[in-house]
Amino acid sequence: MTEVLCTVSTKAILLGNEAIARGIVEAGCLVACAYPGTPSSEILPAVAKFADEMGSPMAVEWGVNEKVAFEMAAAASFTGSRSCAVMKQVGLNVAADPFMSSALYDLKGGFLLVVADDPGPHSSQTEQDSRHFAMFAKIPCFDPSSASEAKEMVFDAFDLSERFHVTAMLRPSVRVDHCRQDVELGEILPFKGEVKFEKDPSRWVCLPAKVRVNHPKLNAKLEEIRAAFETEFRKYNYEVPAKKESVLGIVASGVSFSIVSDILKSLGREDVAVLKIGTPHPLPVKMVTDFIEKHPRVLFLEETYPVMEMQIPDRTKIMGRWNGVVPGAGELLPEVVAGILADILGIESPSGADSMLKDTLEELGITPRKPMLCPGCPHRASFFSIRQALPNAVNPSDIGCYSLGVNQKAVDAIIDMGGSVTMGSGLTLAHKVAGIDRPVVSTIGDSTFFHMGIPGLVSAVYNRHPFVLAILDNSTTAMTGGQANPGVGEKLRKGDEGRKVDIEGVCRGCGVSHVRTVAAYDVAAGKEAIKEAWESAKEKKEPAVVIFRHPCMLLRLQQPVIPVRVDPEKCIGCKFCINFFNCPGLVFNEESGKAYIDERFCVSCGVCLSVCPHGAIVEVSEEGE
Amino acid sequence: MQYVIVGIGGQGILFTSRILGKIAVERGEQVMGSEVHGMAQRGGSVISHFKVGNYRSPLVMAGDADILLAFDQNEGIRNLHFLKKNGSMVVNVHSEDDMKNSSLTAFLKDRSIRVYSLAGYELLKKHMGGNFLFLNVLLMGAMCGANISGLTFEEVSRAVKELSPSKFEDANMKVFRLGYDSISSGQ
Ligand SMILES: Cc1ncc(C[n+]2csc(CCOP(=O)(O)OP(=O)(O)O)c2C)c(N)n1
């Protein structure tokens, strides 16, 4: 039993994710697990930081993937302690199996699932709406409209979970996760229960006979929760009435509520009523239908799928996604919402793209900058080696910064985390059946290898699939902001010691006999290693592994500084370096028809010295400049 | 007051909203902002929104911003539609010629937008050994020097100082002054 009290009570400006983290610690959560993923990544490190500062005894850990994190947290709640699992929306696809089955359990300790959605999407491979997943699993879902509301919902979600013994979902979307707002800070709630696992197979073993009991029970719980949402949660579900006779009612949840509120205020409209819903599932249907009845027309604003809309039996009066009033994809940005309102209210649309500004952009050739690997990024060097070693190869890849290898024409296909390994198998099989002799070189990052690469590798060894797996080990989970992973070995809480898991050892343990490691910056060695691995794979009829190692530039470690320049005499303007190396520090001047070093970005890593086939990239110091 | 801050991933634009946030809270004002984390940070276009006052939404709507703070000239031009009439842009310029484009100057005139430019890369090369990570503080200094945000030199420099990691404190104060003088003396 734990009792921790802390006496901080002030306001602070927090990122939405930090506010959620603060709520998790204050609510007395004892086990928090996650796997990073934008826009959720900042939550768990902030939980660890607040837990350290406030002296919470809680455990805070990265799981190796979302299924692992979910199961760790769920099982912890079986003991009666409060626990939570945190992930991004596609993470829940990975954790869908335990999510669906534990949803049916009569849980004991409060179990909070935080799933961050990414309408837009800004940094994701789908635009899915996790509230739909809550509906699928028949569990309650909170949809915060701001950072401070998200924090408050954490407490209510834990309470609700304990009251009805169900998983409770908090679904912030990216604009809540990454908003910055002043938030009230509180103390850690004392934990009054007892942490104890009580043996009870009828409760904790999901046999079909048990499901036949639990499923109707869950249905009944859901109706009770709906009733509670109709009456008890007025702080999340409330009407902002029109001051005059209403011409329009709007039902809005999440950040769409915040956006439409600001727009109505700036338009000065007093004839539009808004019903805010913070608990979209199970929807307080009576509250919403009563609202619909009061207004001549009703608009639904929610992201990203029509989750509330679909729970209304009679949609004839509703303007939303079912009839195309609200776009079926993409983020509901202020400009989009303002456009929808303008159409409905018959007012002038907000100023669109100005023609003079459009001309400016065209004349100056200004376009949005696409994401690119950082200058000095080791992945760029690895991709260059891989492409040059086997130009004819098919290159499946994976989810990480190295997805940007597509700019170097070194990434041909991506599905999801771990897919590079299994696509390697699938392509190899198709080639084999058709009698095609074409190399396959897959690329995967260190964090993604641990996340979901290993099962595919075991399968490839077992089935004897000859292809090359290049593991791009930059000693971090870079894409999501630099979290540790098993290959790094660090943990989140102060004083917590982890143990480093050796990638070479894992590959050998999986049964791979050809495992080689090269320095990613050494292009010549990288090329050789890939050629050699492909020969070995063919000969032994099994996957071969090459590990490209160099720390991520974001870790800002010291490394040799090798200033370079492009010799205009030797540069023939072939753009080989632009097409296959693609570095922000190496750009092409269309006027002179030659490449040059853009010193705003170049970090003098020196890798491009071995890139130019004409030897036009040269070291500066060599010539005494 | 509504700010839009734009640049290229890796330029350190997030530090700017932390400074603005600290000042606002010390003044007892409400703040709301939106940042970019993740994929877009990898060298792509990035945008932060920051609102001081009684707002619910973290996003600034096109045509509503008072100040556009541009770490990169192209990103600044690309996001001019965020500024309201009479708004101001503080911009790190790398091509003076582009700024003279006739469509651009016509647009700025039509909207009565004031532009405060400084050659950030040149200044940092000359005074800070070419460390371009100081751009954020340089631009804060410039914005302050332009006297458009209602924030005083003392207020902003104190916030910069308090949020600086100790090993960068002196350098940041120097850069802040550099940015401030580069605009205030030129106007
Ligand atoms: C199922 C799932 N979980 C999480 C993410 C978020 N995410 C994107 S890339 C990435 C891992 C990147 O790490 P690593 O493979 O080491 O490559 P790096 O970015 O360091 O190059 C993660 C966790 C995701 N896209 N999908």
Side-chain angles (χ1 to χ4, degrees):
Chain A
M1 189 149 106
T2 4
E3 188 150 326
V4 185
L5 286 168
C6 179
T7 45
V8 209
S9 188
T10 41
K11 259 191 167 186
I13 300 191
L14 298 183
L15 200 61
N17 279 342
E18 293 168 336
I20 292 169
R22 180 77 190 199
I24 289 169
V25 179
E26 287 180 14
C29 177
L30 291 182
V31 175
C33 304
Y35 182 74
T38 312
S40 73
S41 310
E42 299 81 14
I43 297 177
L44 203 69
V47 168
K49 188 188 105 197
F50 289 129
D52 285 343
E53 284 172 13
M54 298 165 79
S56 162
M58 69 189 296
V60 185
E61 292 193 357
W62 293 121
V64 81
N65 64 34
E66 291 86 355
K67 175 172 144 66
V68 169
F70 186 102
E71 287 160 358
M72 290 200 291
S77 82
F78 294 176
T79 67
S81 66
R82 285 191 162 183
S83 69
C84 76
V86 182
M87 58 198 64
K88 70 179 295 181
Q89 89 285 47
V90 288
L92 189 53
N93 300 342
V94 175
D97 200 6
F99 170 64
M100 292 303 294
S101 57
S102 60
L104 287 161
Y105 283 20
D106 222 16
L107 293 176
K108 195 172 164 191
F111 180 43
L112 170 68
L113 170 63
V114 183
V115 193
D117 279 359
D118 185 14
H122 298 263
S123 310
S124 300
Q125 60 267 42
T126 75
E127 208 179 18
Q128 68 197 66
D129 187 332
S130 300
R131 301 174 310 157
H132 242 309
F133 238 141
M135 196 194 268
F136 188 29
K138 303 191 173 180
I139 60 151
C141 173
F142 292 85
D143 187 2
S145 63
S146 68
S148 56
E149 193 179 50
K151 178 173 182 258
E152 201 173 345
M153 283 178 169
V154 167
F155 295 90
D156 286 301
F158 272 122
D159 287 344
L160 196 80
S161 168
E162 278 163 5
R163 180 167 152 203
F164 295 99
H165 308 285
V166 292
T167 307
M169 179 190 285
L170 176 71
R171 192 288 306 236
S173 66
V174 59
R175 297 301 179 181
V176 170
D177 292 304
H178 293 161
C179 81
R180 218 169 251 291
Q181 193 192 4
D182 39 328
V183 173
E184 199 74 48
L185 304 182
E187 305 170 358
I188 297 182
L189 292 176
F191 174 55
K192 294 188 210 78
E194 185 191 7
V195 176
K196 187 178 180 199
F197 181 79
E198 279 161 311
K199 292 193 187 226
D200 182 359
S202 73
R203 193 172 189 181
W204 307 121
V205 181
C206 63
L207 292 176
K210 188 62 197 162
V211 177
R212 288 193 281 271
V213 177
N214 274 351
H215 190 180
K217 206 163 151 185
L218 180 60
N219 289 340
K221 283 184 198 176
L222 205 58
E223 289 318 307
E224 281 177 57
I225 295 170
R226 191 192 308 278
F229 284 169
E230 295 275 7
T231 53
E232 291 174 35
F233 289 84
R234 288 299 159 131
K235 59 181 170 181
Y236 303 140
N237 303 330
Y238 56 85
E239 182 175 339
V240 185
K243 293 198 181 105
K244 297 184 188 151
E245 193 181 337
S246 91
V247 296
L248 176 70
I250 299 175
V251 180
S253 78
V255 83
S256 301
F257 166 75
S258 307
I259 288 173
V260 82
S261 300
D262 276 3
I263 294 176
L264 290 173
K265 191 171 157 192
S266 82
L267 289 175
R269 296 297 293 223
E270 299 191 330
D271 53 358
V272 179
V274 183
L275 178 67
K276 178 195 175 298
I277 295 292
T279 61
H281 186 264
L283 187 73
V285 172
K286 184 168 181 312
M287 181 187 289
V288 180
T289 44
D290 285 353
F291 178 82
I292 293 175
E293 271 182 13
K294 282 195 298 190
H295 302 282
R297 294 184 297 174
V298 178
L299 170 69
F300 270 59
L301 293 173
E302 56 184 325
E303 285 181 319
T304 315
Y305 290 8
V307 170
M308 297 194 297
E309 199 179 307
M310 275 180 22
Q311 293 176 76
I312 300 297
D314 177 4
R315 289 197 279 273
T316 40
K317 242 168 100 180
I318 294 177
M319 294 179 287
R321 291 204 161 88
W322 79 277
N323 50 9
V325 175
V326 178
E331 191 176 6
L332 293 181
L333 290 167
E335 297 77 21
V336 176
V337 174
I340 296 170
L341 280 180
D343 284 347
I344 295 175
L345 297 172
I347 54 176
E348 202 193 328
S349 246
S351 52
D354 183 278
S355 69
M356 281 182 273
L357 199 51
K358 242 166 94 186
D359 292 347
T360 309
L361 298 181
E362 239 159 62
E363 287 158 23
L364 299 178
I366 299 176
T367 50
R369 270 183 82 96
K370 281 192 296 186
M372 252 174 148
L373 292 172
C374 303
C377 174
H379 298 336
R380 176 178 293 106
S382 308
F383 279 130
F384 184 76
S385 310
I386 292 166
R387 270 285 308 196
Q388 296 305 307
L390 299 169
N392 179 39
V394 186
N395 297 121
S397 190
D398 227 298
I399 312 259
C401 282
Y402 47 85
S403 303
L404 299 171
V406 73
N407 297 339
Q408 275 170 275
K409 302 170 181 38
V411 165
D412 298 325
I414 299 177
I415 303 178
D416 64 346
M417 290 190 77
S420 60
V421 188
T422 41
M423 279 192 283
S425 283
L427 291 162
T428 301
L429 286 180
H431 287 170
K432 184 181 162 192
V433 172
I436 296 167
D437 179 23
R438 188 172 179 188
V440 173
V441 182
S442 299
T443 44
I444 190 169
D446 47 340
S447 190
T448 303
F449 175 68
F450 286 110
H451 177 282
M452 202 56 97
I454 297 171
L457 186 58
V458 174
S459 177
V461 169
Y462 161 50
N463 288 301
R464 308 199 67 162
H465 298 153
F467 66 92
V468 179
L469 176 64
I471 302 178
L472 312 181
D473 179 8
N474 59 357
S475 304
T476 191
T477 314
M479 173 100 281
T480 49
Q483 297 78 14
N485 65 51
V488 181
E490 285 157 16
K491 294 186 67 178
L492 286 159
R493 287 214 56 180
K494 264 201 197 108
D496 253 5
E497 255 181 68
R499 185 166 155 195
K500 210 171 141 143
V501 179
D502 172 56
I503 297 179
E504 283 87 337
V506 170
C507 294
R508 290 206 180 87
C510 290
V512 181
S513 50
H514 185 102
V515 181
R516 299 285 182 278
T517 302
V518 291
Y521 274 12
D522 190 341
V523 169
K527 270 196 244 181
E528 247 348 276
I530 289 290
K531 282 186 195 158
E532 192 201 1
W534 171 237
E535 290 309 318
S536 163
K538 275 196 299 193
E539 189 197 313
K540 295 187 180 133
K541 295 199 174 50
E542 61 172 46
V545 170
V546 179
I547 297 159
F548 286 85
R549 189 163 281 147
H550 188 94
C552 172
M553 296 312 277
L554 299 176
L555 298 172
R556 296 188 198 283
L557 302 180
Q558 286 277 343
Q559 65 180 45
V561 176
I562 307 167
V564 297
R565 65 182 189 92
V566 177
D567 182 344
E569 303 279 288
K570 290 189 189 153
C571 176
I572 63 158
C574 66
K575 290 196 181 174
F576 177 83
C577 58
I578 308 293
N579 289 332
F580 295 102
F581 199 59
N582 195 252
C583 179
L586 189 56
V587 284
F588 196 74
N589 183 335
E590 295 291 347
E591 261 162 53
S592 65
K594 307 215 181 257
Y596 69 97
I597 301 295
D598 187 340
E599 56 180 7
R600 293 180 299 158
F601 303 108
C602 177
V603 294
S604 304
C605 69
V607 176
C608 60
L609 287 171
S610 42
V611 163
C612 177
H614 309 283
I617 304 177
V618 292
E619 211 175 321
V620 170
S621 58
E622 254 177 19
E623 301 155 53
E625 281 175 72
Chain B
M1 197 69 168
Q2 306 195 46
Y3 299 83
V4 170
I5 307 152
V6 298
I8 300 168
Q11 284 188 317
I13 82 171
L14 296 182
F15 189 60
T16 311
S17 35
R18 286 186 50 213
I19 296 170
L20 292 173
K22 187 174 167 62
I23 299 168
V25 164
E26 274 166 14
R27 286 180 161 203
E29 291 166 325
Q30 262 186 34
V31 302
M32 198 74 180
S34 174
E35 302 177 352
V36 173
H37 297 257
M39 175 76 102
Q41 272 184 307
R42 298 284 165 269
S45 304
V46 286
I47 179 161
S48 277
H49 302 236
F50 197 82
K51 295 155 98 171
V52 182
N54 188 13
Y55 298 102
R56 277 187 190 278
S57 150
L59 297 175
V60 175
M61 185 149 90
D64 280 353
D66 299 279
I67 295 179
L68 173 64
L69 211 52
F71 283 56
D72 176 88
Q73 175 180 334
N74 289 359
E75 293 303 314
I77 295 172
R78 228 169 50 74
N79 287 290
L80 274 169
H81 59 284
F82 274 106
L83 278 178
K84 64 180 194 193
K85 268 196 186 259
N86 300 313
S88 305
M89 169 163 78
V90 179
V91 55
N92 170 29
V93 167
H94 62 257
S95 160
E96 289 285 353
D97 281 352
D98 281 5
M99 293 303 288
K100 293 184 193 128
N101 171 282
S102 59
S103 307
L104 176 62
T105 46
F107 172 83
L108 295 171
K109 194 160 168 249
D110 180 61
R111 297 266 183 121
S112 313
I113 288 169
R114 280 163 300 171
V115 175
Y116 300 90
S117 13
L118 74 165
Y121 297 118
E122 293 306 317
L123 284 169
L124 293 176
K125 258 200 285 189
K126 196 161 150 205
H127 299 279
M128 302 305 296
N131 188 340
F132 299 144
L133 284 175
F134 287 112
L135 257 183
N136 47 23
V137 176
L138 188 76
L139 276 158
M140 279 309 282
M143 184 184 81
C144 206
N147 198 20
I148 47 178
S149 57
L151 307 175
T152 65
F153 179 90
E154 288 68 32
E155 231 174 348
V156 186
S157 70
R158 182 160 20 90
V160 170
K161 192 172 168 154
E162 284 171 20
L163 286 174
S164 296
S166 55
K167 67 172 175 177
F168 291 122
E169 200 181 297
D170 292 344
N172 272 345
M173 291 331 311
K174 179 176 160 191
V175 173
F176 183 72
R177 171 54 87 178
L178 191 66
Y180 186 89
D181 290 345
S182 76
I183 295 291
S184 62
S185 57
Q187 295 308 309

